[in-house]
Amino acid sequence: MYRGREGQWAFYLHRISGIAIILFLALHVTEISSSMFGPKWFNALLKFEENPIFGLGLVAVAALVLYHALNGLRIILMDFTSWGVRLQRQLWYAVWVVYVVLGFPMLFIMLRHVFVGGE
Amino acid sequence: MAFRARRLEEAKRLSTSNLELAWWVFMRVSGVMLVFLVLGHLYTRAVLFNFHHDLTYDVVARNMSTVTWKFYNWLLLFLSILHGTNGLRYIIDDYLPSPRARVWVKVIVYTLVFLVVVFGTISLWAWNYTPVR
Amino acid sequence: MQVTLKILRYNPEKDARPHWESYRLEAEPMDRVLDLLHQVKWEKDGTLAFRKSCGHGICGSDAMMINGVNRLACKTLVKDLGTDVITVEPIRGLPVEKDLVVDMEPFFEAYRAVKPWLINDEPPPERERLQSPEERAVFDEGTKCILCAACTTSCPVFWVNGTYLGPSAIVQAHRFIFDSRDKGAHERFPALGSTGGVWRCRTAYNCTEACPREIPVTQLIEEVKRAIMFGQM
Amino acid sequence: MAHQHDVLVIGAGGAGLTAALYAAHRGADVGVISKLYPTRSHTGAAQGGIGAALGNVEEDHWEWHMYDTVKGGDYLTDQDAAEVFAREVIDAVIELEHMGLPFDRLPNGKIAQRRFGGHTKEWGKAPVHRAAHAADRTGHMILQTLYQQSVKRGITFYNEFHVLDVIFNEEGRAIGVVALEFATGELHTFQAKAIVIASGGFGRLFKVTSNAFTLTGDVQAILYRKGWIPLEDMEFYQFHPTGLYRLGILVTEGARGEGGILRNAQGERFMERYAPTIKDLAPRDMVSRAMYLEIKEGRGCGPNKDYICLDLTHLDPEIIEKKLPDIAEFSRTYLGVDPLKEPIPVVPTAHYAMGGIPTTLDGAVIKDGQGTEIPGLFAAGEAACVSLHGANRLGTNSLGDLVVFGRRAGLAAARFAQANTFVDLPPDATGPARELIEGLKGNTGGESPFAIRKDLQETMMENASVFRTEELLEKQVGILKDLFERYKKVTIEDKGDRYNADLVEAIELGFLLDNAEALVHSAKNRKESRGAHAREDYPERDDENWLKHTLVYREAPGKVRFDYKPVVITKFEPKPRVY
Ligand SMILES: Cc1cc2nc3c(=O)[nH]c(=O)nc-3n(C[C@H](O)[C@H](O)[C@H](O)COP(=O)(O)OP(=O)(O)OC[C@H]3O[C@@H](n4cnc5c(N)ncnc54)[C@H](O)[C@@H]3O)c2cc1C
Ligand code: HEM
Ligand code: SF4
Ligand code: F3S
Ligand code: FES
């Protein structure tokens, strides 16, 4: 493995998260669209997905989306400002700070949904 | 540093190779919009609701029947699909060196994506909530 | 001090595929990796092949991957590596010809594609064309490039996508596009704006980290992107 | 494989590329053979600048430049060459600018110029700003710019082809070249109407040198081996005063041009004693000798008292970072010395061959003291000797030499090609080159080329560098004889075809030995001190007997013959050289 630094890992992670999201999105849309076939079918599907495996999968996708979104903003700053490139490393760390700040509450709530169940 | 075309032929020559630039800009513009759309979607669906238990046909259908949400979701669908598919195109171009394989994979991917969009759009407008008893 | 030099060897006349070979060497902390390669070549195994010329980072012959990062062998001192196990591999993304020697032709093809020469058809004045120190400073960084290919062959996009011009060629384009004397920006645009052009750059920064001339490569690439964008819209 | 070009240029440094461009400009079909990728040529290492009396900073005249060149060359400079040079280099610099060379600029937009060793105004009164520069990478920019123009013109390049032989017909006209393709090990023949040699110098003869590993005087040796082509003024080899301690990597004279000072262990600015007027900016031979003397008399710096300190600490850090960024970096990288804070340890380093293949003002190679031209053969750059530099080259005059005489050689070659036709190569043109290769691959004598080269470089440094005596040179003649014997038994490990660097280095070692032979014998022959040639046993310049160029021929291995060529004197009568 080439020993690249922050930029390289930011790129790989952005790419991997992008692929994962588009794959999930395709499934997700198909799934929701299946509502066309009526509530029975749809509710059955939702029931099936109550399995925590799916719940965790969803959490993972949400985590990837959050990274992709924040790093996407980092990329945009680098592309359109004169200082973004100079501060790219700091920006990447900032991405992780914001990631934790936004991500932790979200993670907490979502995990509770998965494991604690509804009231 | 003068890029602006001064003559017609020049403008033509330049315009032919503008496509990649347009996509590049689109990725950024759509990206910014998606931040709000996707994170909003995530928030309303996964955080406000207990998506894992409370999400039922009823809940979704009631929500989906308002025009605002229809439009919101459709924009989300459209932009993220376009953004994601163009991203996939970049990736396919990068990792598939053989032009033949590239064409085939792209044909398949674009067809699937097209079907997903059509399917999604139809179903989106099909939501019409009448509570099931 | 004793160091272990591991070299990825490949001789197409003998080997089916590249393989690692290790050499125990006596080295000084101030030795260049190039000195170690010479020690192997001159004292242990004369069949080792690598390029070199100037020995002080100015000719661009000896870019190679040292301990996982692209560098010039003649500009990397043993002490700077901070370890006594040193691995050396050919740069990636160009066909390996023998040991550390790669085929540079694709690299120079990209170089030629961006028309790396001053384009200005107006008849020149009697004396020099005038240019203010400020105008000169705008493109200074790019003029330092020694065409060593360390940047291009560190780029994760270039490794997998042979059609990408690569950062080095874009640096060359920058050097001319931002030269106040140059009038040919639009002639370079087709190559730069095509599918293999600047838009392929994913801002991975390996190029900037790798450049032995400390050129802010990514910065220049981004400036070229913006120049094209604002010139077009 | 066989190739054909009207004009064939050997070498893609500054001289070769200029020649190729101008020959192509005249309509010739040009091919360039280079054992390196063109941009790897050592012209790219040149730092300080290119001297031309542009007068952008202060008043300057080509006559002053000519005078400085002649005086710097200790009056061995051919004054017709110096005049042509000082006039034409002005246009050449402007032309380089038009080609796109990014010179540093003055606030008024003109090309910036700096001071350099030996360049003065009003016939030696004070240093003058004459060196046009692009930071401290002027040579790099010249090489890049010329290569860019060659690419634009679509000139044919044969990169990584090693020239092993030049072919002549019975009338002594140069008709072709044989070269080894590094990638495949194949021998190629090149048929040409005119051939321009621009293959650079041979600094690798010495242990401490600023020159690249590849500067081994190949084509000088190839011609010298023929026996009937001489080499001129080989005894004059320049040692640059400021090479990085132990490594020899160059610190440009521009560092002193910007105000740097040489100091001995006591911190004394010793050049005040040797050259009271221009001090640290005296010509290189004088400064190098002064440094040697300081070290010899125990005033060297460091624990072993074996180097001199180049002090830049009093300069504005801005100047160092802006105008001398590369040398600051070399010092930091290779010595761990920050020039902003500490003086840089330096020693004289083998730098430049004033001598080489003798030519006319148009670059035509000549074969005797009467100036008889060899048809179809031209030379320019460091490989050649028009005798612009005489006994000692001034800083910045080599880059000028490349473009002025490279251009003249290119144009003359194109003219020759227009007036003449191709000559068929002999059926086995590659014969001698093949024998050379097979001989080396077949040798089993067990001598390592590395060991021979090391001994050669060390003994040349000891016996034939800055100071010379009859005794030392005699000793070196004996050592060379021994090294030639050992070379006959040289054995290489790599017997393959592709990228056989082992073979190439062994061939280059053979060429180096020939250059050494020519240099040492010429030095032993010249019984005076002049410019870079300093004989302790003959400390005075002797115009009566030695105001002439040496031409050295190889009669048989280890046996040489001398001929002489008069020095052309037009404007300036030889005078004692004081600064
Ligand atoms: C460190 C340094 C700094 C210098 N600074 C200055 C300065 O500031 N100002 C100045 O005026 N001068 C300077 N000089 C001197 C000047 O740079 C050189 O003398 C000059 O560049 C030589 O140019 P060239 O074209 O003759 O040869 P080079 O640039 O050395 O090129 C030689 C070419 O010949 C080719 N070649 C050689 N042998 C063969 C073969 N057998 N087959 C095929 N090809 C072959 C090589 O591949 C190469 O392309 C400096 C020199 C050095 C070493
Ligand atoms: C949420 C806000 C989002 C932002 C701000 C964003 C931003 C970006 C940006 C700027 C790029 C271009 C990267 C580059 O050129 O270097 C990109 C690429 C990409 N995006 Fe997004 N994106 C977002 C959401 C999405 C979504 C929802 C998907 C999936 C459907 C997605 C999939 C991709 C893919 C596959 C790529 C290509 C990655 C690559 O080429 O390496 N993105 N994104
Ligand atoms: S930009 Fe830097 S790394 Fe890339 S080729 Fe030029 S000098 Fe080498
Ligand atoms: S590593 Fe490659 S992706 Fe761009 S920033 Fe450098 S060229
Ligand atoms: S040998 Fe010239 S750059 Fe390393």
Side-chain angles (χ1 to χ4, degrees):
Chain A
M1 190 42 117
Y2 190 86
R3 285 194 15 229
R5 297 188 54 176
E6 291 84 346
Q8 178 186 300
W9 303 118
F11 155 67
Y12 277 131
L13 212 51
H14 195 82
R15 182 157 271 196
I16 291 167
S17 60
I19 299 175
I21 304 166
I22 178 83
L23 290 182
F24 168 82
L25 180 76
L27 289 175
H28 186 59
V29 172
T30 319
E31 171 208 2
I32 302 286
S33 306
S34 63
S35 63
M36 279 196 299
F37 303 119
K40 260 210 203 86
W41 169 243
F42 188 69
N43 277 330
L45 207 76
L46 287 180
K47 195 87 209 147
F48 179 63
E49 285 176 7
E50 258 177 43
N51 188 326
I53 301 277
F54 279 93
L56 288 179
L58 217 56
V59 172
V61 170
L64 289 175
V65 169
L66 190 59
Y67 171 78
H68 189 96
L70 294 174
N71 190 56
L73 293 176
R74 165 177 166 270
I75 294 172
I76 292 169
L77 284 178
M78 298 185 312
D79 287 337
F80 292 99
T81 66
S82 54
W83 46 267
V85 170
R86 223 174 336 108
L87 298 179
Q88 61 100 359
R89 217 168 277 151
Q90 288 86 328
L91 279 172
W92 199 55
Y93 294 125
V95 161
W96 288 113
V97 171
V98 178
Y99 187 83
V100 170
V101 168
L102 291 185
F104 254 109
M106 230 167 91
L107 182 73
F108 180 73
I109 295 168
M110 287 179 79
L111 282 182
R112 218 183 55 188
H113 290 165
V114 173
F115 290 110
V116 180
E119 42 272 39
Chain B
M1 204 195 15
F3 281 107
R4 241 169 278 271
R6 263 161 274 145
R7 284 168 290 130
L8 183 63
E9 317 84 88
E10 228 171 77
K12 269 197 202 143
R13 200 173 57 229
L14 296 184
S15 63
T16 51
S17 38
N18 260 343
L19 197 65
E20 285 299 328
L21 165 62
W23 276 116
W24 187 82
V25 173
F26 169 76
M27 289 303 270
R28 273 115 193 108
V29 173
S30 61
V32 173
M33 293 168 71
L34 280 169
V35 171
F36 299 99
L37 294 171
V38 172
L39 295 187
H41 179 74
L42 257 178
Y43 184 70
T44 52
R45 286 299 138 93
V47 178
L48 289 187
F49 280 111
N50 185 337
F51 61 92
H52 216 241
H53 297 277
D54 299 351
L55 212 60
T56 60
Y57 180 81
D58 277 11
V59 175
V60 176
R62 194 180 303 141
N63 182 277
M64 284 299 213
S65 297
T66 59
V67 178
T68 326
W69 282 117
K70 273 193 208 295
F71 186 72
Y72 179 100
N73 281 302
W74 188 77
L75 195 64
L76 172 61
L77 169 72
F78 185 76
L79 281 183
S80 57
I81 286 281
L82 215 53
H83 176 105
T85 308
N86 186 49
L88 275 185
R89 179 178 70 94
Y90 288 153
I91 291 165
I92 293 166
D93 279 347
D94 276 354
Y95 295 101
L96 287 182
S98 129
R100 291 241 330 264
R102 254 190 228 188
V103 170
W104 279 112
V105 171
K106 279 185 190 171
V107 165
I108 295 168
V109 168
Y110 295 164
T111 313
L112 287 177
V113 165
F114 181 74
L115 289 179
V116 168
V117 175
V118 170
F119 204 45
T121 311
I122 295 175
S123 77
L124 202 57
W125 296 112
W127 287 106
N128 193 359
Y129 181 64
T130 33
V132 193
R133 295 252 161 238
Chain C
M1 66 191 271
Q2 286 263 313
V3 296
T4 306
L5 185 66
K6 289 164 73 179
I7 307 177
L8 192 61
R9 301 287 310 264
Y10 173 61
N11 181 350
E13 287 167 279
K14 290 209 191 88
D15 310 330
R17 66 174 62 85
H19 60 97
W20 289 98
E21 251 171 68
S22 292
Y23 306 87
R24 291 290 290 166
L25 303 173
E26 192 54 47
E28 298 287 328
M30 289 303 279
D31 275 350
R32 302 165 276 194
V33 172
L34 182 64
D35 297 323
L36 303 188
L37 291 171
H38 274 145
Q39 210 180 327
V40 171
K41 174 154 189 64
W42 291 340
E43 294 167 24
K44 306 216 165 198
D45 184 353
T47 64
L48 179 67
F50 55 93
R51 291 191 176 102
K52 49 102 203 284
S53 183
C54 70
H56 64 285
I58 204 71
C59 75
S61 297
D62 58 348
M64 47 189 82
M65 205 164 130
I66 300 171
N67 283 4
V69 181
N70 280 2
R71 318 175 204 237
L72 296 177
C74 63
K75 237 185 149 173
T76 308
L77 304 194
V78 171
K79 74 172 167 54
D80 297 333
L81 291 170
T83 152
D84 54 5
V85 182
I86 300 170
T87 62
V88 180
E89 302 164 58
I91 43 178
R92 290 190 185 170
L94 295 169
V96 178
E97 297 279 350
K98 181 178 173 184
D99 295 337
L100 303 169
V101 176
V102 299
D103 179 6
M104 296 294 288
E105 209 25 59
F107 174 79
F108 280 102
E109 206 176 301
Y111 168 78
R112 291 191 292 266
V114 300
K115 304 199 175 187
W117 53 79
L118 189 85
I119 300 176
N120 186 339
D121 298 332
E122 294 157 20
E126 191 72 3
R127 296 282 296 204
E128 64 262 50
R129 292 192 175 97
L130 298 181
Q131 181 171 55
S132 72
E134 293 74 31
E135 287 169 328
R136 168 67 179 77
V138 174
F139 65 97
D140 187 57
E141 295 287 359
T143 66
K144 296 180 186 164
C145 175
I146 53 175
L147 299 172
C148 68
C151 54
T152 295
T153 58
S154 75
C155 173
V157 177
F158 181 79
W159 295 331
V160 292
N161 188 334
T163 68
Y164 179 34
L165 288 175
S168 174
I170 302 174
V171 165
Q172 289 297 323
H174 181 283
R175 181 248 168 274
F176 289 102
I177 292 173
F178 286 87
D179 188 329
S180 57
R181 301 168 295 171
D182 186 86
K183 302 282 178 258
H186 62 279
E187 287 188 39
R188 299 192 181 90
F189 183 66
L192 290 170
S194 70
T195 39
V198 284
W199 312 118
R200 281 239 91 79
C201 166
R202 293 273 94 86
T203 49
Y205 290 93
N206 280 2
C207 51
T208 305
E209 312 277 359
C211 179
R213 305 284 295 151
E214 287 170 21
I215 300 170
V217 182
T218 311
Q219 167 117 29
L220 304 192
I221 297 174
E222 294 287 280
E223 283 173 16
V224 171
K225 287 180 188 168
R226 285 198 287 270
I228 294 177
M229 178 171 54
F230 293 125
Q232 282 303 294
M233 295 198 322
Chain D
M1 220 197 286
H3 312 264
Q4 205 183 50
H5 290 283
D6 293 345
V7 173
L8 191 67
V9 179
I10 306 174
L17 292 176
T18 312
L21 274 174
Y22 282 96
H25 192 68
R26 274 213 124 220
D29 162 41
V30 181
V32 180
I33 311 181
S34 172
K35 68 177 177 183
L36 302 169
Y37 273 91
T39 53
R40 318 280 186 237
S41 302
H42 209 56
T43 296
Q47 302 169 349
I50 172 167
L54 301 173
N56 281 358
V57 177
E58 57 190 316
E59 187 186 351
D60 199 2
H61 301 285
W62 68 261
E63 289 93 338
W64 293 353
H65 191 184
M66 174 185 170
Y67 170 78
D68 291 335
T69 303
V70 171
K71 184 176 172 192
D74 223 347
Y75 295 93
L76 194 72
T77 296
D78 281 335
Q79 298 189 9
D80 51 350
E83 175 162 350
V84 159
F85 167 76
R87 282 169 181 272
E88 292 186 8
V89 74
I90 299 175
D91 289 338
V93 168
I94 299 292
E95 206 152 327
L96 284 171
E97 196 282 333
H98 290 166
M99 288 180 188
L101 199 141
F103 283 110
D104 286 352
R105 299 291 172 152
L106 297 168
N108 64 10
K110 290 187 182 173
I111 296 171
Q113 296 183 282
R114 62 159 67 118
R115 291 194 273 246
F116 235 82
H119 290 279
T120 67
K121 56 181 156 195
E122 295 175 61
W123 328 105
K125 282 237 177 75
V128 70
H129 289 78
R130 187 176 288 150
H133 56 89
D136 52 359
R137 54 193 131 85
T138 315
H140 165 78
M141 290 325 320
I142 290 183
L143 186 64
Q144 295 282 331
T145 304
L146 292 171
Y147 183 58
Q148 290 155 3
Q149 292 296 315
S150 316
V151 171
K152 178 180 173 190
R153 275 204 169 270
I155 287 171
T156 314
F157 282 96
Y158 300 89
N159 296 332
E160 304 201 312
F161 279 65
H162 293 253
V163 170
L164 299 185
D165 201 5
V166 178
I167 302 167
F168 296 86
N169 67 0
E170 303 81 59
E171 290 107 67
R173 176 180 158 194
I175 54 172
V177 156
V178 177
L180 171 77
E181 185 180 7
F182 195 36
T184 60
E186 200 187 333
L187 283 175
H188 294 243
T189 56
F190 295 81
Q191 198 182 9
K193 293 178 185 162
I195 297 167
V196 182
I197 297 163
S199 55
F202 50 84
R204 280 288 147 180
L205 210 48
F206 296 94
K207 184 173 165 221
V208 177
T209 177
S210 65
N211 281 200
F213 289 102
T214 44
L215 285 178
T216 47
D218 302 4
V219 187
Q220 288 91 317
I222 289 169
L223 298 185
Y224 176 66
R225 275 177 192 180
K226 305 267 175 206
W228 54 277
I229 305 178
L231 296 176
E232 183 178 345
D233 289 344
M234 291 294 278
E235 62 273 39
F236 297 104
Y237 198 89
Q238 178 171 79
F239 279 74
H240 191 292
T242 54
L244 289 188
Y245 179 51
R246 275 205 272 261
L247 291 158
I249 296 169
L250 195 78
V251 177
T252 173
E253 204 163 278
R256 279 170 286 141
E258 299 292 351
I261 292 172
L262 290 167
R263 297 187 192 280
N264 59 21
Q266 284 115 42
E268 181 205 4
R269 184 180 194 178
F270 58 87
M271 279 314 293
E272 282 174 336
R273 274 186 278 126
Y274 297 89
T277 326
I278 55 177
K279 305 184 181 91
D280 297 277
L281 287 174
R284 290 172 180 175
D285 56 334
M286 300 178 100
V287 182
S288 287
R289 274 198 298 276
M291 289 169 67
Y292 250 71
L293 286 175
E294 290 297 306
I295 292 172
K296 207 161 119 192
E297 286 163 16
R299 291 191 293 275
C301 306
N304 301 325
K305 297 180 179 299
D306 57 352
Y307 60 81
I308 294 293
C309 288
L310 174 61
D311 188 1
L312 305 180
T313 55
H314 56 287
L315 297 184
D316 182 358
E318 179 109 346
I319 291 194
I320 298 183
E321 302 293 356
K322 281 249 167 61
K323 295 197 168 166
L324 305 164
D326 280 4
I327 65 117
E329 193 196 310
F330 294 153
S331 171
R332 286 178 192 134
T333 307
Y334 296 109
L335 295 180
V337 168
D338 184 352
L340 296 180
K341 303 201 183 82
E342 302 166 70
I344 308 173
V346 291
V347 287
T349 180
H351 187 58
Y352 185 86
M354 269 73 73
I357 304 162
T359 70
T360 65
L361 292 181
D362 276 329
V365 178
I366 56 180
K367 61 180 176 187
D368 53 34
Q370 288 75 51
T372 313
E373 295 181 15
I374 300 175
L377 193 63
F378 301 82
E382 192 174 336
C385 178
V386 240
S387 210
L388 167 65
H389 308 302
N392 171 59
R393 172 174 75 85
L394 287 189
T396 81
N397 268 2
S398 169
L399 291 177
D401 174 5
L402 305 183
V403 283
V404 169
F405 291 101
R407 168 162 162 232
R408 287 178 151 253
L411 291 174
R415 276 198 303 274
F416 186 90
Q418 260 157 9
N420 290 274
T421 51
F422 287 109
V423 178
D424 286 337
L425 297 182
D428 190 26
T430 55
R434 195 160 357 93
E435 268 168 42
L436 177 74
I437 293 172
E438 276 162 14
L440 282 168
K441 281 190 183 170
N443 254 351
T444 50
E447 279 287 349
S448 131
F450 161 67
I452 301 178
R453 186 174 49 220
K454 187 158 167 276
D455 290 348
L456 172 69
Q457 291 168 337
E458 279 173 5
T459 55
M460 285 299 288
M461 200 76 196
E462 275 163 34
N463 303 327
S465 60
V466 174
F467 282 107
R468 298 159 173 175
T469 64
E470 190 70 25
E471 203 184 336
L472 288 177
L473 292 166
E474 187 56 51
K475 188 167 148 208
Q476 190 61 13
V477 168
I479 291 171
L480 285 179
K481 206 172 266 166
D482 181 46
L483 291 174
F484 271 107
E485 282 309 310
R486 283 169 65 192
Y487 184 71
K488 284 190 191 142
K489 288 182 281 188
V490 76
T491 304
I492 57 172
E493 278 176 67
D494 196 341
K495 314 284 185 194
D497 292 324
R498 301 180 50 149
Y499 291 98
N500 191 336
D502 216 14
L503 171 70
V504 166
E505 285 193 15
I507 295 174
E508 287 174 341
L509 173 60
F511 292 148
L512 271 183
L513 283 166
D514 292 337
N515 281 286
E517 179 188 281
L519 188 153
V520 172
H521 282 93
S522 303
K524 192 163 153 304
N525 183 52
R526 183 175 284 269
K527 299 198 174 8
E528 65 157 352
S529 288
R530 180 189 297 272
H533 176 64
R535 293 273 309 238
E536 279 179 296
D537 40 1
Y538 301 94
E540 295 304 320
R541 196 172 84 192
D542 176 2
D543 285 342
E544 204 157 315
N545 297 307
W546 288 103
L547 189 56
K548 59 187 178 187
H549 300 291
T550 311
L551 296 177
V552 57
Y553 297 80
R554 168 181 280 176
E555 294 253 275
K559 193 164 174 308
V560 300
R561 171 170 70 83
F562 292 102
D563 193 358
Y564 300 96
K565 197 162 76 86
V567 174
V568 180
I569 294 172
T570 56
K571 286 198 162 72
F572 307 111
E573 276 305 313
K575 279 192 295 203
R577 196 168 61 127
V578 283
Y579 285 93

